[in-house]
Every structure is written in structure tokens, then in C-alpha cells.
Amino acid sequence: MNQWWKERIAYQIYPRSFQDKNPKDGIGDIEGIISRLDDIKDLGIGIIWLSPVYKSPGADNGYDISDYLSIDPIFGTMQDMENLFREAEKRDIKIIMDLVINHTSDEHEWFKKSRDPKSPYRDYYIWQPPKNAGKANGSSRQPPNNWTGFFMGDVWEWDEMSGEYYLHLFDKKQPDLNYKNPKVVDEIKNIMRFWLDKGAAGFRCDVINIIYKTSLEDGKKSPAVCGIEHYKSQEGNHEILRKLRKEVLSEYDCFTVGETVMVDIDEAKLLCDESRKELDMLFYFEHLEIDRRIARFIPKKFNAKKLLEVLTKWQQGLEWNALYLENHDQVRIVSHFGSEKKTGTSPSKHWQSSAKMLAIMELTLRGTPFIFQGQEIGMTNFDFKSIKEVNDVESHGLNRLMKKIFIPSFLRWKWIKASSRDNSRTPMQWDSSENAGFTSPGIKPWLGVNSNYTHINYAQQKSDSTSILNFYKKLIALRQKSECLKYGEFLPLHADKKMICYQRKLNTCTDRGDTKSGAETYFIGLNFSSNKIKLPKEITKYFGGEILLSSTGRKILSTKKSRAEILPWEGVIVCRQPIQ
Ligand code: ISL
Ligand code: CA
């Protein structure tokens, strides 16, 4: 079958922050998405990953689903969704849905029924008596094990009605499903079929490597997510993925991209090795965590050498990668790896070049690129003043935990600012009108609009040929024309603390098995600093001369004393044989 997902560029929409249209209530909706499809197409997008629009009480912004087969009224109706599929198809855009199946909402019918110990739904979830159950010594109740959760809190919630605890690796409003129960797998198969029949072209599978809990024994002591060794990338998990592929997905022209928590390369190989028929590709986190401690919570010094090392490992280790620098759980990439230091409300002088340099990085790697809404215009982290403006359930969990261990408030705020998922969730900045064109003036958006919207917005960039947006368009068009940028192998060339250089090369026999000759080779250099950097002599020969694309706009890379220089925050692409 034609693996079209390797040929297209994907765009992630976080519906509540994308475009508010109907009803105008400060929350983005499906009609809003439809109204922007032409802009998405214009960028060169061929796949949309739609974050959840299903019915949900919204404890985790839709990642807590109470009905998988209906649309939440805040986003619209099933008819709107069908329209979206139709309108996207007209523009040759495929839509993949978010499949959140590790847990449901506690307001899902299954869970409500499951609270009755005699219900046939009891085994849909993971219920356990207290650890010290039956001890008549008056000691207080103890949770079944010592695990800790992803949102920095407990994973066991006592349910008075049940007389037992239930497991929730995320919020207590997100009880984990029990994948040892085959009925649960059958339910998931039905949900998948429902959406594939409606027109979905596949799924982004939420936390898909932690769904199967092999045992509920105590975990090894660990500063974060204690207990993970009992449920991460387990054999039972692999079996379920193979079953879903064999019994559902293989009947459709579709693909899956798994979000895989704390995955390492060996686990990833098993999860997306083509012959094992589990996932088509996966999102890993390691590249975004090179300058973070404890997952992504505490900042540490950036080192480009480490970045190239991580990229090389994944680029060469997997047959195909899902490429991304931002999503709704991560901070904005220009604020993270780029240059965003603000002077007043206007962005720094290197904001634009660094955002373009990062675009070069994402779009010159091997894999399917996923661009997160707003990334294409260089949106930055939020500028909120206090935790009161933050909505993210994870940030509040982190704040509570830090308070408990007496971390002073200035430090708590510093770390929350550096990690909060709300950084990327602020409303899309469409234009310079009040509320950035996300919603009408006078309506309060569900989350604050970044005050830099007068400088950073889509409308302004659309009409400016030198904008980040137009740079993304150019890069996408370049990639779409080039077999080498899509399928060529990745070869690291050089790195120091602030710069990386690599090569993309198409061998005579591509990994798709067809023969190519005389194809082009690309050399890419990326500077992650405000200083000019000289390239070492050995690689200058690849870079000197005509530049195909530079984030600073220059066309020639001169070589003084046989050393080429990369400018501050510059990304350059040099092509040795021009594309025909
Ligand atoms: O990014 C993370 C760890 O570094 C976590 O914040 C994140 O929760 C984890 O990656 C899983 O994310 C997914 O599942 C969560 C949901 O809150 C996230 O939005 C989703 O992407 C639970 O469904
Ligand atoms: Ca709305």
C-alpha cells in the first residue's frame, strides 16, 4: 500500500485555542477549523492531527473523554465534524484523530457503572483494596502500592461507593482502563472503526506504551513516576497494538503515530518496526529534554552536541520518525531552543532568524514532520504574571507538590513558567485586532492571549515575504519536491556546544527499494547562539558557495582562509546538486 503519510506534512490543531467561530464563546471550535482550512492548505499541509473534540468534562482539556462517539457541544456537533472531514477531503487533507485510550473520564458511562462492584463493567478499570485491608488494628487506610503519577500526585483514589481504590496514572478524573480485560480491547476496536468509517485517516495514540499494567507491585524508588517499570512498554502492550492493527487498522488506508512516554530507542524499535505491525511511527521526547531535568520540569544548560547525538540516535535507529518540536504539552520551540528574549513586547532581533533556523531543523530530518499551530509564525511562550492565569492541570499539580516540599514561591513560578503546557496552548494569533482574531473583541478567551500578538500574527506574516510563515511555506515546498529530504539517510557531520551540522544523502538504492542515481545531497548547518561560528576546515568545503536557503536571507557563504562562518542563529541549507 502507498505509504502516503511519509509524503505529507502534518499540522496539529488544538481545537480550543485555534479559532473561535460558533458559538462565539472564547473557545475554539470545529466551524473555526473549517474556516481556516484554506490557510492550512496554503501552508502545504496534507494531514491534520486533531486533538480531542469528543465529549468531555474538560478536566484535562478533552484528554478525559466521557463519550468517544460524540462531539463535545463546546466544539460543535457530529454534523460539524462530518463537514470538517468533507471540507478537508476537498482540499486533499487527511485527518487523524486523537485516540486517548489509557484512561477515560470518570464521567464515562463505563466508569459510572464500574463503581458498582457487581457490575459487568467492574473489570473495565483497575480496582484494588487498600494495602492493609483486613487489618483490624484501626490503622488508617493505605493505597495499594507506592506508585506516583504523571501529574505529580497520587495514582490511587479511594471510592467510598465501591469500597476500593481505582488507579489513575494522570488526574483522578482520568481512571485507567484495564487492558487485561478483552472486553475493553473490543470496545476500543469499535471506537476506532467508528471514526475510520466516518473518514478518519488514522490516529495519534495518546500515551500508547503504558496502557498495559503487568503487575501492581510496588515500584522502585524514583523521583518521578515511581512504578513505571510495571507498565511501560510491556509485552501485553505490544500484543494489544498488534491486535488493533490486525483486526481493525489493516482494513483501512490509514496510519498511526504513537505518543510514547519515556520511551528509549530499543523499546521504540519494537513499537514501530515495520515487520511487527504495531505503530507506523512514534513521538519520543528525548530531543526536547536535553536541557531539562526530571522530564521537562527543571531547566539546565543547552548543549548542541547533545542535541546532535540524540537526533542521530533516533534518525539512524528507526526506519521512520515522527518529527516535531512543539505540541500542546511542550513549551514553544523559539522560546526553548531559539532566541526570544523580549525587549518590551517586541521580539528580540534574532527571534525571526532563530524560528526559521528551527524550521530548517524540523523539515530537513527524515520522517513525517508535525507542525503545531502557531509554530509556523514563531509564537512564543506565554507572558502570564501568576499561577492564577494558568489553567494546566499538570502545572497546578506541580505547584502543589513543590509547595508541599517548601520550594519558595519565586522558584515555583520560575519552573512552572519554564514547563507549563499552557505555554503552547494560548490562543492562535491570527491578526492584530483585539483578542488576536482568535475570538471577537469583548469576548474573554478561555486562556489569555499572549500580549505580543500585535507583533506576532498570521495576517502580518502572510503579507510579508520574509516572514517565518513564508519561510515555512518555502521549506515545505522544497521538501515536497525532494526525495532526498524525505527519504535520504541522515549523517551527522559536526557539533560543538552551540552548533550542529549534518547531511542528508540519498543513496542509489533508497530505503523504499527503488533505484535512484545522481540524486542530490544536502548539507545543513544550525547555529544555536548569538555569536558567529566558524566551521571547522574539514567541513567548510561542503558549505562554501551558494546557499539554497538561509534563515538570515543571505545567498552566499563566503569562505575566508578556507573557513566558512555561520551567522548568529542562522540555519543554512546547501544543496550539492540542484534539484531538477
Ligand atoms: O509531557 C509530559 C511529560 O513530559 C506530560 O505532561 C504528558 O502528560 C505526557 O506526555 C502524556 O501526554 C498525553 O496524555 C495526557 C494529556 O494530558 C496530554 O495532553 C497528552 O498529550 C493524558 O491524557
Ligand atoms: Ca466557540
Side-chain angles (χ1 to χ4, degrees):
M1 209 190 304
N2 162 28
Q3 294 183 318
W4 50 264
W5 51 90
K6 294 187 173 176
E7 298 275 332
R8 292 171 178 238
I9 312 283
Y11 186 81
Q12 183 193 350
I13 294 184
Y14 194 65
R16 84 185 50 220
S17 301
F18 193 57
Q19 178 72 76
D20 184 17
K21 191 144 196 284
N22 187 19
K24 277 267 168 77
D25 53 0
I27 302 172
D29 45 53
I30 296 173
E31 274 196 37
I33 299 172
I34 295 174
S35 73
R36 290 292 179 181
L37 284 175
D38 286 335
D39 296 323
I40 296 171
K41 182 74 196 168
D42 186 46
L43 179 60
I45 298 301
I47 301 168
I48 288 173
W49 152 22
L50 190 65
S51 274
V53 287
Y54 318 99
K55 200 151 192 273
S56 158
D60 188 17
N61 290 353
Y63 284 87
D64 50 322
I65 299 168
S66 55
D67 182 358
Y68 290 85
L69 307 184
S70 61
I71 299 294
D72 197 284
I74 63 166
F75 296 123
T77 61
M78 188 57 84
Q79 214 179 351
D80 294 331
M81 190 60 213
E82 284 160 2
N83 265 340
L84 175 58
F85 280 127
R86 240 189 327 269
E87 290 299 319
E89 198 183 350
K90 272 191 207 161
R91 294 162 176 86
D92 190 27
I93 297 174
K94 313 249 188 194
I95 298 181
I96 63 167
M97 305 288 285
D98 217 313
L99 191 69
V100 188
I101 56 169
N102 174 66
H103 43 267
T104 69
S105 162
D106 64 340
E107 296 180 34
H108 194 291
E109 279 308 312
W110 303 337
F111 187 74
K112 288 195 208 156
K113 290 180 184 148
S114 170
R115 294 178 65 197
D116 172 1
K118 290 198 255 353
S119 158
Y121 288 89
R122 185 66 170 178
D123 272 353
Y124 271 43
Y125 295 86
I126 302 172
W127 292 97
Q128 284 290 299
K131 194 176 220 167
N132 52 347
K135 285 196 185 135
N137 59 3
S139 57
S140 62
R141 213 169 36 224
Q142 273 174 26
N145 64 27
N146 67 351
W147 294 6
T148 54
F150 285 92
F151 289 160
M152 274 40 76
D154 300 333
V155 298
W156 293 102
E157 181 72 9
W158 177 253
D159 182 45
E160 208 54 65
M161 180 179 147
S162 289
E164 281 191 321
Y165 286 93
Y166 66 85
L167 177 74
H168 61 91
L169 292 182
F170 294 88
D171 192 65
K172 66 178 179 211
K173 285 189 67 64
Q174 295 168 300
D176 282 49
L177 284 163
N178 174 17
Y179 279 90
K180 286 193 170 166
N181 181 354
K183 282 195 209 138
V184 169
V185 182
D186 287 341
E187 298 275 11
I188 302 303
K189 281 165 53 183
N190 289 339
I191 292 166
M192 292 168 78
R193 279 203 194 95
F194 176 88
W195 288 107
L196 291 164
D197 288 338
K198 280 229 177 283
F203 300 98
R204 174 267 183 184
C205 309
D206 194 64
V207 296
I208 202 64
N209 64 329
I210 59 168
I211 62 176
Y212 187 89
K213 282 76 185 174
T214 301
S215 102
L216 298 174
E217 278 161 38
D218 277 343
K220 283 192 278 217
K221 286 238 167 339
S222 141
V225 281
C226 168
I228 195 163
E229 67 278 17
H230 296 294
Y231 58 80
K232 187 175 63 136
S233 305
Q234 303 289 296
E235 190 41 43
N237 202 133
H238 289 295
E239 274 166 29
I240 290 166
L241 289 175
R242 284 197 289 268
K243 195 173 164 70
L244 296 178
R245 166 78 80 105
K246 184 160 174 247
E247 293 171 21
V248 183
L249 296 160
S250 65
E251 290 164 22
Y252 296 82
D253 180 18
C254 68
F255 81 101
T256 53
V257 48
E259 183 212 28
T260 49
V261 180
M262 297 188 184
V263 74
D264 65 35
I265 187 81
D266 294 326
E267 292 166 2
K269 280 182 184 160
L270 294 178
L271 286 160
C272 59
D273 179 311
E274 279 191 10
S275 66
R276 287 169 54 93
K277 303 209 176 332
E278 297 187 15
L279 297 165
D280 291 296
M281 60 182 104
L282 56 77
F283 292 121
Y284 63 90
F285 294 86
E286 202 179 351
H287 60 312
L288 296 177
E289 290 172 356
I290 54 160
D291 59 348
R292 295 286 189 267
R293 271 179 245 277
I294 318 187
R296 43 165 239 285
F297 297 112
I298 301 174
K300 73 173 189 211
K301 218 174 161 61
F302 174 86
N303 182 347
K305 246 188 178 144
K306 179 79 194 159
L307 180 62
L308 187 63
E309 205 180 285
V310 171
L311 290 178
T312 305
K313 174 165 81 180
W314 289 89
Q315 284 283 295
Q316 297 186 340
L318 295 183
E319 148 60 27
W320 195 251
N321 274 276
L323 309 168
Y324 78 104
L325 296 176
E326 289 185 14
N327 63 33
H328 65 294
D329 292 334
Q330 300 291 332
V331 297
R332 290 287 184 183
I333 198 63
V334 69
S335 307
H336 184 183
F337 287 170
S339 167
E340 180 247 310
K341 278 181 208 81
K342 279 177 238 136
T343 44
T345 49
S346 64
S348 88
K349 69 173 186 199
H350 296 303
W351 160 74
Q352 192 178 62
S353 182
S354 68
K356 291 178 182 175
M357 179 273 288
L358 292 160
I360 291 182
M361 175 160 91
E362 177 166 351
L363 289 155
T364 57
L365 294 174
R366 182 184 156 98
T368 302
F370 285 74
I371 297 167
F372 180 65
Q373 64 184 47
Q375 180 185 337
E376 76 278 29
I377 56 167
M379 275 177 65
T380 63
N381 279 355
F382 69 55
D383 52 355
F384 299 162
K385 298 286 171 293
S386 85
I387 183 84
K388 287 200 196 88
E389 292 173 83
V390 174
N391 165 283
D392 180 9
V393 54
E394 184 190 69
S395 302
H396 287 283
L398 180 63
N399 194 39
R400 270 194 304 275
L401 175 78
M402 292 194 292
K403 225 171 174 168
K404 214 156 107 186
I405 54 175
F406 304 108
I407 299 206
S409 76
F410 82 93
L411 214 50
R412 292 203 308 265
W413 183 232
K414 188 174 159 193
W415 290 342
I416 284 171
K417 272 183 91 103
S419 71
S420 177
R421 304 186 300 178
D422 279 359
N423 277 305
S424 60
R425 296 177 180 184
T426 60
M428 179 71 188
Q429 294 164 205
W430 290 109
D431 59 41
S432 59
S433 67
E434 189 189 324
N435 284 332
F438 163 68
T439 186
S440 300
I443 293 175
K444 194 173 181 314
W446 76 275
L447 188 67
V449 174
N450 194 310
S451 62
N452 62 19
Y453 71 93
T454 47
H455 300 269
I456 303 179
N457 66 67
Y458 180 87
Q460 184 272 324
Q461 293 195 26
K462 193 164 185 185
S463 59
D464 171 2
S465 64
T466 67
S467 66
I468 298 169
L469 176 70
N470 280 311
F471 195 79
Y472 265 93
K473 281 190 207 168
K474 258 184 236 158
L475 262 174
I476 289 173
L478 171 72
R479 185 184 172 95
Q480 294 305 65
K481 276 194 296 190
S482 160
E483 289 296 287
C484 175
L485 285 179
K486 278 185 281 199
Y487 295 106
E489 68 175 315
F490 173 96
L491 297 166
L493 279 177
H494 168 78
D496 62 25
K497 282 187 180 151
K498 300 288 180 193
M499 175 187 50
I500 67 176
C501 300
Y502 54 89
Q503 181 183 355
R504 294 296 304 286
K505 189 169 147 208
L506 198 65
N507 291 325
T508 39
C509 183
T510 72
D511 292 356
R512 292 187 309 164
D514 41 342
T515 313
K516 290 266 160 195
S517 58
E520 71 274 14
T521 300
Y522 289 88
F523 294 93
I524 291 107
L526 309 171
N527 181 350
F528 293 82
S529 81
S530 307
N531 303 316
K532 283 193 246 172
I533 301 182
K534 282 197 171 67
L535 289 177
K537 273 200 178 105
E538 338 57 279
I539 62 166
T540 283
K541 59 176 182 283
Y542 303 126
F543 285 89
E546 205 173 313
I547 298 173
L548 184 64
L549 210 53
S550 156
S551 68
T552 62
R554 65 178 172 147
K555 302 273 186 291
I556 298 285
L557 214 159
S558 60
T559 48
K560 279 187 207 139
K561 291 187 201 147
S562 69
R563 304 272 303 261
E565 265 179 0
I566 309 279
L567 300 177
W569 296 105
E570 185 178 42
V572 293
I573 309 180
V574 171
C575 179
R576 274 295 160 223
Q577 266 166 281
I579 318 154
Q580 278 89 43

